[in-house]
Amino acid sequence: MRTNLAPECRTCRSRLSAYAEKDLAGAAAREVENHLLECGLCRRELQALEGAWQALALVGGLEVSPGQSRSLAARISQGQPAPGRKSLWSWILRPAYPALALALVLLMLVGAWMLRIWTPAIPGSSGSGGVIVTLGSAPPDPATALTNSHPAETALTLFGSGGGADADGPAEEVGNDFDLGGSDFDPAAQGQEVLAGYLE
Amino acid sequence: MEWVRQFQAGDAQAFNRLVEKHHRTVLNLVYRFTGSAREAEDLAQEVFLRVFRALPGFKGQARFMTWVYRITFNLCIRERGRRARREARTQDQESEEAQSLVEGLAQPGPSPDEHLVDKELEGAVRLAINRLPEDQRAVVILRRFDDLSYEEIAQVLNLSLPAVKSRLHRARAALKEMLTPYLEHSGRGPGEGGEKP
């Protein structure tokens, strides 16, 4: 279409945008104005240019409240990213949180299970000893227990094997099952025997 | 500039005042350049983060806003480059939408009410801005919406004065080509009430 234009129209249109921008002065501006007075096509072209430029005003903008601006400034000042904006580290770590928590729980469970497996059973320790004390029913007399100077004797007293004031009756019945030698019992020798048995 | 100096002197509140004053300008600059409100919010935050970090070293050789505009456009162009692949699909959709709009205009039906025409025209204007090459789009936005002089635009975009004028004139011509059919359809075209040749 432009190839069919008269040379004056072509010259005018090459300057039309600058003219519309009021960026044309002197002789060039006068030439355009003179041509526009006599050429309806070029006038139309100028109207189209200005109409398109004015139409840009139809594009609205975004509104910002003072609160939003203050919030943004505060986030930046405190070095915190906005809720919608993820930092590199949060991006890296966030998906790992549930897996990390699960792994920690599993690790603790496995650790506890392995501790149970690998802890050696101590003879006469709380496990079986506790049962024996329960079966001995009557609690030992602290005074009697304290009179026995040898630790093994103290242990026997706690087991209720005899000698204690409260070890009669039921204690004797149950005590038969755990007869460690009665009054002839030599704690040191018996301990060595038990130890040797375990070592074998 | 007073707030800039106060911030450089250690007044943290001065930064809040700077953000409050320029937040809307930066947000809309990005919004018009990218066409996305969500992207505008993210990038505006990034702009102010950079301003916050770089402000202690700001020498005041350029106007503060010229400097902020430059940061904004550098960031916009870099981000657009990063997201180019993702946007290719969207642009295809936009092209299809634009094509359907143009086809619709070629066979105008009954005249819709004024509100719908305005909405359609607004969409067409947004699309036209987005379809401008980035260098022309930046010049148009700074000139039309932010009312910057040629010299200021040249400073912001690091261009010569003739380059700014040339881009602006090409952009105006391109906008006219894209928008005239919509303007004519809405009764705002040059043929409406204008003199016939």
Side-chain angles (χ1 to χ4, degrees), chain A residues 2 13-23 36-37 39-86, chain B residues 12 15-16 19-21 23-24 27-28 31-32 36-38 40-46 48-49 52 79 83 118 121-122 125-126 129 139-140 143-145 150 165 168-173 175-177 179-180 183-184 188-192 194-197:
Chain A
R2 291 188 70 164
R13 291 190 187 193
S14 69
R15 295 168 170 172
L16 217 46
S17 177
Y19 178 77
E21 274 284 314
K22 298 182 174 51
D23 192 33
L36 287 173
L37 283 174
C39 178
L41 277 175
C42 287
R43 276 201 302 277
R44 236 175 101 103
E45 187 74 4
L46 179 63
Q47 284 173 354
L49 263 177
E50 289 183 333
W53 193 246
Q54 295 304 319
L56 296 185
L58 289 170
V59 177
L62 301 172
E63 287 303 320
V64 180
S65 70
Q68 284 174 302
S69 299
R70 277 194 293 271
S71 167
L72 173 64
R75 278 200 303 271
I76 291 171
S77 302
Q78 292 160 14
Q80 292 173 350
R85 186 82 172 171
K86 295 167 192 68
Chain B
F15 180 72
N16 296 1
V19 174
E20 276 187 50
K21 185 176 181 194
H23 188 186
R24 188 172 177 274
L27 186 73
N28 280 303
Y31 174 54
R32 285 170 182 135
S36 158
R38 189 190 176 107
E41 282 178 23
D42 281 354
L43 286 179
Q45 176 178 303
E46 190 71 27
F48 282 109
L49 185 61
F52 183 79
E79 283 295 313
R83 299 177 190 195
D118 280 352
L121 191 56
E122 184 186 343
V125 173
R126 283 184 196 279
I129 293 172
V139 173
V140 165
R143 182 70 176 166
R144 182 70 181 89
F145 297 103
Y150 292 148
K165 291 180 182 179
L168 185 62
H169 297 160
R170 273 185 284 139
R172 287 190 69 147
L175 287 169
K176 183 211 73 177
E177 292 298 325
L179 292 176
T180 298
L183 292 168
E184 284 177 346
R188 303 179 194 199
E192 311 295 327
E195 289 179 50
K196 301 288 178 191

Side-chain angles (χ1 to χ4, degrees), chain B residues 116-169:
Chain B
L116 280 176
V117 169
D118 280 352
K119 277 293 183 195
E120 186 183 80
L121 191 56
E122 184 186 343
V125 173
R126 283 184 196 279
L127 194 63
I129 293 172
N130 280 333
R131 294 178 91 178
L132 287 173
E134 283 183 349
D135 57 346
Q136 292 180 25
R137 199 187 317 155
V139 173
V140 165
I141 290 168
L142 289 173
R143 182 70 176 166
R144 182 70 181 89
F145 297 103
D146 291 83
D147 207 23
L148 262 60
S149 68
Y150 292 148
E151 289 77 9
E152 286 170 322
I153 296 171
Q155 275 188 5
V156 169
L157 300 176
N158 203 21
L159 294 170
S160 67
L161 218 53
V164 171
K165 291 180 182 179
S166 161
R167 283 166 202 219
L168 185 62
H169 297 160

Side-chain angles (χ1 to χ4, degrees), chain B residues 66-80:
Chain B
T66 305
W67 181 66
V68 173
Y69 277 130
R70 196 180 298 165
I71 290 173
T72 307
F73 274 111
N74 286 342
L75 196 64
C76 282
I77 288 165
R78 206 193 64 185
E79 283 295 313
R80 296 291 284 184

